[in-house]
């Protein structure tokens, strides 16, 4: 069950600079966070926005240049060992040894964490079963598929059942089936009481998993709220149309723009058309279909819904999210699952 007794992660005014030659870059510029225990908090942003740098500071892998942060009440600088003993981290890249088998990787970590004999083997067996890797446990990790590698990496970060789990782009490059498997694992962990900080560029992922979402750009948090709150912040909603005749989409777009006053977007589907409803334009929605009818444009499907997170992100940052994640800070040190 979820524990909403207080914040599991807190940060105030976090700042981090990186210097390369004569150039200094402020990767994180005064970030404040408060993440309630037993929730999923999504940190959404484009390449270089500062997501990974924030996670690495909270996980004690980087020392903040300014500001403070506490994880489960422990200061990440003054009480770093206590933080490390209570958190798990899965970074953007696999942290397991590819020349070892899945079982050998987990056994090594279990023994490093103090498990011995039967207790170590039982813990490893339970993790392999939980992540659907029992049959692959005796194989070298370098023979695993991308989805299997991410699952073994997640398993490695959970050897000690951490109360706080940092997931930095956990599903980048995975196929939809593997991504859904990771999502299911995250849901189970949170239902069992864990707190998860998830960085992602996948809008659907944030929408599906996060209780609250913060948007970060150029090292600053520029918005925070639930998915619904963020969507409401950019307008009243969106009109979605499906036309009977794709050749008349241009005409339909002109009619919709004239009625609503906003420029429609044209999806890849040639029969589809969408337009955002302006903040003061809810009364105009009822005029769209009559106007299209007068123009002789048949519309077999019409719906009104909230803006998507894609539209939220585009409105807030002025740029769409790319599909994949790149490195944020220069020459990052290797990450180790804890």
């Amino acid at each position: 069950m979820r524990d909403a007794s207080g914040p599991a992660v807190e940060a105030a005014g976090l700042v981090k600079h990186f210097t390369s030659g004569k150039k200094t870059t402020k990767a994180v510029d005064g970030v404040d966070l408060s993440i309630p225990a037993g929730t999923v908090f999504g940190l959404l942003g484009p390449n270089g926005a500062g997501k990974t740098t924030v996670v690495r500071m909270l996980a004690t892998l980087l020392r903040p240049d300014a500001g403070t942060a506490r994880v489960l009440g422990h200061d990440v600088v003054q009480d770093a060992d206590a933080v490390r003993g209570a958190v798990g981290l899965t970074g953007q890249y696999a942290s397991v040894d590819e020349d070892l088998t899945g079982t050998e990787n987990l056994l090594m970590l279990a023994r490093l964490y103090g498990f011995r004999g039967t207790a170590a083997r039982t813990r490893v067996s339970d993790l392999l079963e939980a992540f659907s890797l029992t049959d692959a446990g005796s194989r070298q990790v370098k023979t695993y598929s991308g989805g299997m590698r991410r699952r073994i990496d997640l398993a490695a970060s959970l050897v000690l059942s951490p109360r706080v789990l940092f997931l930095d782009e956990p599903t980048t490059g995975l196929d939809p089936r593997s991504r859904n498997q990771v999502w299911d694992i995250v849901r189970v962990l949170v239902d069992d009481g864990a707190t998860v900080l998830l960085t992602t560029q996948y809008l659907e992922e944030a929408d599906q998993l996060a209780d609250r979402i913060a948007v970060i750009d150029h090292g600053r948090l520029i918005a925070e709220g639930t998915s619904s709150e963020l969507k409401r912040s950019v307008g009243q909603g969106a009109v979605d149309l499906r036309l009977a005749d794709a050749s008349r989409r241009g005409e339909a777009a002109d009619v919709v723009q004239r009625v609503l006053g906003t420029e429609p977007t044209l999806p890849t589907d040639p029969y589809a058309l969408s337009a955002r409803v302006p903040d003061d334009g809810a009364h105009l929605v009822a005029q769209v279909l009559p106007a299209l009818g007068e123009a002789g444009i048949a519309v077999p499907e019409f719906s009104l819904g909230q803006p998507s997170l894609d539209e939220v992100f585009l409105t807030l940052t002025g740029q769409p999210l790319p599909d994949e994640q790149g490195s944020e800070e220069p020459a990052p040190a290797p990450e180790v699952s804890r």
Side-chain angles (χ1 to χ4, degrees), residues 207-222:
D207 221 352
Q208 287 279 337
L209 294 177
D211 297 286
R212 292 186 66 80
I213 301 167
V215 180
I216 186 171
D217 195 30
H218 295 97
R220 288 180 172 271
L221 293 188
I222 58 176

PDB file of all heavy atoms in Angstrom, residues 207-222:
ATOM      1  N   ASP A 207       2.519   9.735 -18.743  1.00  0.00           N
ATOM      2  CA  ASP A 207       1.059   9.746 -18.612  1.00  0.00           C
ATOM      3  C   ASP A 207       0.567   8.486 -17.904  1.00  0.00           C
ATOM      4  O   ASP A 207      -0.335   8.526 -17.073  1.00  0.00           O
ATOM      5  CB  ASP A 207       0.428   9.842 -20.000  1.00  0.00           C
ATOM      6  CG  ASP A 207      -0.760  10.785 -20.034  1.00  0.00           C
ATOM      7  OD1 ASP A 207      -1.183  11.251 -18.965  1.00  0.00           O
ATOM      8  OD2 ASP A 207      -1.269  11.051 -21.137  1.00  0.00           O
ATOM      9  N   GLN A 208       1.172   7.349 -18.233  1.00  0.00           N
ATOM     10  CA  GLN A 208       0.733   6.060 -17.699  1.00  0.00           C
ATOM     11  C   GLN A 208       1.145   5.854 -16.243  1.00  0.00           C
ATOM     12  O   GLN A 208       0.386   5.288 -15.450  1.00  0.00           O
ATOM     13  CB  GLN A 208       1.320   4.921 -18.538  1.00  0.00           C
ATOM     14  CG  GLN A 208       0.691   4.747 -19.903  1.00  0.00           C
ATOM     15  CD  GLN A 208      -0.604   3.969 -19.831  1.00  0.00           C
ATOM     16  OE1 GLN A 208      -0.850   3.206 -18.901  1.00  0.00           O
ATOM     17  NE2 GLN A 208      -1.458   4.164 -20.824  1.00  0.00           N
ATOM     18  N   LEU A 209       2.344   6.301 -15.874  1.00  0.00           N
ATOM     19  CA  LEU A 209       2.928   5.896 -14.598  1.00  0.00           C
ATOM     20  C   LEU A 209       2.929   6.972 -13.520  1.00  0.00           C
ATOM     21  O   LEU A 209       2.795   6.658 -12.334  1.00  0.00           O
ATOM     22  CB  LEU A 209       4.373   5.430 -14.811  1.00  0.00           C
ATOM     23  CG  LEU A 209       4.589   4.164 -15.631  1.00  0.00           C
ATOM     24  CD1 LEU A 209       6.082   3.901 -15.792  1.00  0.00           C
ATOM     25  CD2 LEU A 209       3.918   2.965 -14.981  1.00  0.00           C
ATOM     26  N   ALA A 210       3.128   8.222 -13.897  1.00  0.00           N
ATOM     27  CA  ALA A 210       3.448   9.242 -12.902  1.00  0.00           C
ATOM     28  C   ALA A 210       2.214   9.818 -12.216  1.00  0.00           C
ATOM     29  O   ALA A 210       1.239  10.178 -12.870  1.00  0.00           O
ATOM     30  CB  ALA A 210       4.248  10.364 -13.555  1.00  0.00           C
ATOM     31  N   ASP A 211       2.286   9.914 -10.876  1.00  0.00           N
ATOM     32  CA  ASP A 211       1.255  10.603 -10.115  1.00  0.00           C
ATOM     33  C   ASP A 211       1.364  12.107 -10.328  1.00  0.00           C
ATOM     34  O   ASP A 211       0.361  12.808 -10.412  1.00  0.00           O
ATOM     35  CB  ASP A 211       1.403  10.286  -8.624  1.00  0.00           C
ATOM     36  CG  ASP A 211       1.204   8.805  -8.335  1.00  0.00           C
ATOM     37  OD1 ASP A 211       0.049   8.351  -8.374  1.00  0.00           O
ATOM     38  OD2 ASP A 211       2.201   8.107  -8.099  1.00  0.00           O
ATOM     39  N   ARG A 212       2.617  12.589 -10.391  1.00  0.00           N
ATOM     40  CA  ARG A 212       2.876  13.991 -10.711  1.00  0.00           C
ATOM     41  C   ARG A 212       4.023  14.047 -11.704  1.00  0.00           C
ATOM     42  O   ARG A 212       4.886  13.157 -11.730  1.00  0.00           O
ATOM     43  CB  ARG A 212       3.236  14.808  -9.457  1.00  0.00           C
ATOM     44  CG  ARG A 212       2.072  14.981  -8.498  1.00  0.00           C
ATOM     45  CD  ARG A 212       2.428  15.914  -7.359  1.00  0.00           C
ATOM     46  NE  ARG A 212       2.662  17.296  -7.778  1.00  0.00           N
ATOM     47  CZ  ARG A 212       1.689  18.175  -8.018  1.00  0.00           C
ATOM     48  NH1 ARG A 212       0.424  17.812  -7.911  1.00  0.00           N
ATOM     49  NH2 ARG A 212       1.976  19.418  -8.367  1.00  0.00           N
ATOM     50  N   ILE A 213       4.034  15.105 -12.512  1.00  0.00           N
ATOM     51  CA  ILE A 213       5.034  15.268 -13.562  1.00  0.00           C
ATOM     52  C   ILE A 213       5.625  16.662 -13.458  1.00  0.00           C
ATOM     53  O   ILE A 213       4.899  17.646 -13.298  1.00  0.00           O
ATOM     54  CB  ILE A 213       4.423  15.088 -14.964  1.00  0.00           C
ATOM     55  CG1 ILE A 213       3.798  13.700 -15.113  1.00  0.00           C
ATOM     56  CG2 ILE A 213       5.465  15.331 -16.058  1.00  0.00           C
ATOM     57  CD1 ILE A 213       2.914  13.560 -16.345  1.00  0.00           C
ATOM     58  N   ALA A 214       6.953  16.746 -13.529  1.00  0.00           N
ATOM     59  CA  ALA A 214       7.629  18.036 -13.623  1.00  0.00           C
ATOM     60  C   ALA A 214       8.318  18.102 -14.983  1.00  0.00           C
ATOM     61  O   ALA A 214       8.921  17.123 -15.423  1.00  0.00           O
ATOM     62  CB  ALA A 214       8.650  18.211 -12.504  1.00  0.00           C
ATOM     63  N   VAL A 215       8.217  19.244 -15.630  1.00  0.00           N
ATOM     64  CA  VAL A 215       8.879  19.463 -16.919  1.00  0.00           C
ATOM     65  C   VAL A 215      10.124  20.301 -16.664  1.00  0.00           C
ATOM     66  O   VAL A 215      10.055  21.371 -16.059  1.00  0.00           O
ATOM     67  CB  VAL A 215       7.955  20.184 -17.913  1.00  0.00           C
ATOM     68  CG1 VAL A 215       8.671  20.401 -19.244  1.00  0.00           C
ATOM     69  CG2 VAL A 215       6.676  19.383 -18.127  1.00  0.00           C
ATOM     70  N   ILE A 216      11.271  19.796 -17.105  1.00  0.00           N
ATOM     71  CA  ILE A 216      12.538  20.486 -16.922  1.00  0.00           C
ATOM     72  C   ILE A 216      13.110  20.865 -18.282  1.00  0.00           C
ATOM     73  O   ILE A 216      13.046  20.087 -19.236  1.00  0.00           O
ATOM     74  CB  ILE A 216      13.536  19.611 -16.119  1.00  0.00           C
ATOM     75  CG1 ILE A 216      14.812  20.389 -15.797  1.00  0.00           C
ATOM     76  CG2 ILE A 216      13.841  18.306 -16.838  1.00  0.00           C
ATOM     77  CD1 ILE A 216      15.741  19.667 -14.823  1.00  0.00           C
ATOM     78  N   ASP A 217      13.626  22.084 -18.369  1.00  0.00           N
ATOM     79  CA  ASP A 217      14.224  22.559 -19.617  1.00  0.00           C
ATOM     80  C   ASP A 217      15.331  23.535 -19.264  1.00  0.00           C
ATOM     81  O   ASP A 217      15.144  24.420 -18.426  1.00  0.00           O
ATOM     82  CB  ASP A 217      13.158  23.235 -20.493  1.00  0.00           C
ATOM     83  CG  ASP A 217      13.627  23.422 -21.928  1.00  0.00           C
ATOM     84  OD1 ASP A 217      14.431  22.600 -22.405  1.00  0.00           O
ATOM     85  OD2 ASP A 217      13.174  24.383 -22.582  1.00  0.00           O
ATOM     86  N   HIS A 218      16.509  23.360 -19.890  1.00  0.00           N
ATOM     87  CA  HIS A 218      17.664  24.204 -19.607  1.00  0.00           C
ATOM     88  C   HIS A 218      17.969  24.271 -18.107  1.00  0.00           C
ATOM     89  O   HIS A 218      18.309  25.329 -17.576  1.00  0.00           O
ATOM     90  CB  HIS A 218      17.460  25.608 -20.180  1.00  0.00           C
ATOM     91  CG  HIS A 218      17.375  25.637 -21.674  1.00  0.00           C
ATOM     92  ND1 HIS A 218      16.164  25.645 -22.346  1.00  0.00           N
ATOM     93  CD2 HIS A 218      18.339  25.618 -22.622  1.00  0.00           C
ATOM     94  CE1 HIS A 218      16.384  25.652 -23.645  1.00  0.00           C
ATOM     95  NE2 HIS A 218      17.697  25.626 -23.834  1.00  0.00           N
ATOM     96  N   GLY A 219      17.824  23.130 -17.434  1.00  0.00           N
ATOM     97  CA  GLY A 219      18.203  23.040 -16.036  1.00  0.00           C
ATOM     98  C   GLY A 219      17.210  23.584 -15.045  1.00  0.00           C
ATOM     99  O   GLY A 219      17.462  23.560 -13.839  1.00  0.00           O
ATOM    100  N   ARG A 220      16.069  24.086 -15.511  1.00  0.00           N
ATOM    101  CA  ARG A 220      15.062  24.665 -14.620  1.00  0.00           C
ATOM    102  C   ARG A 220      13.744  23.916 -14.740  1.00  0.00           C
ATOM    103  O   ARG A 220      13.354  23.497 -15.848  1.00  0.00           O
ATOM    104  CB  ARG A 220      14.808  26.136 -14.963  1.00  0.00           C
ATOM    105  CG  ARG A 220      15.943  27.074 -14.581  1.00  0.00           C
ATOM    106  CD  ARG A 220      15.583  28.503 -14.971  1.00  0.00           C
ATOM    107  NE  ARG A 220      16.560  29.457 -14.465  1.00  0.00           N
ATOM    108  CZ  ARG A 220      16.498  30.051 -13.275  1.00  0.00           C
ATOM    109  NH1 ARG A 220      15.479  29.754 -12.470  1.00  0.00           N
ATOM    110  NH2 ARG A 220      17.412  30.904 -12.886  1.00  0.00           N
ATOM    111  N   LEU A 221      13.027  23.774 -13.624  1.00  0.00           N
ATOM    112  CA  LEU A 221      11.676  23.241 -13.672  1.00  0.00           C
ATOM    113  C   LEU A 221      10.744  24.352 -14.153  1.00  0.00           C
ATOM    114  O   LEU A 221      10.680  25.418 -13.548  1.00  0.00           O
ATOM    115  CB  LEU A 221      11.229  22.750 -12.299  1.00  0.00           C
ATOM    116  CG  LEU A 221      11.954  21.533 -11.713  1.00  0.00           C
ATOM    117  CD1 LEU A 221      11.246  21.078 -10.438  1.00  0.00           C
ATOM    118  CD2 LEU A 221      12.054  20.397 -12.707  1.00  0.00           C
ATOM    119  N   ILE A 222      10.026  24.083 -15.245  1.00  0.00           N
ATOM    120  CA  ILE A 222       9.166  25.122 -15.815  1.00  0.00           C
ATOM    121  C   ILE A 222       7.687  24.832 -15.609  1.00  0.00           C
ATOM    122  O   ILE A 222       6.845  25.699 -15.878  1.00  0.00           O
ATOM    123  CB  ILE A 222       9.461  25.319 -17.318  1.00  0.00           C
ATOM    124  CG1 ILE A 222       9.269  24.009 -18.093  1.00  0.00           C
ATOM    125  CG2 ILE A 222      10.872  25.846 -17.522  1.00  0.00           C
ATOM    126  CD1 ILE A 222       9.449  24.163 -19.595  1.00  0.00           C
TER     127      ILE A 222
END
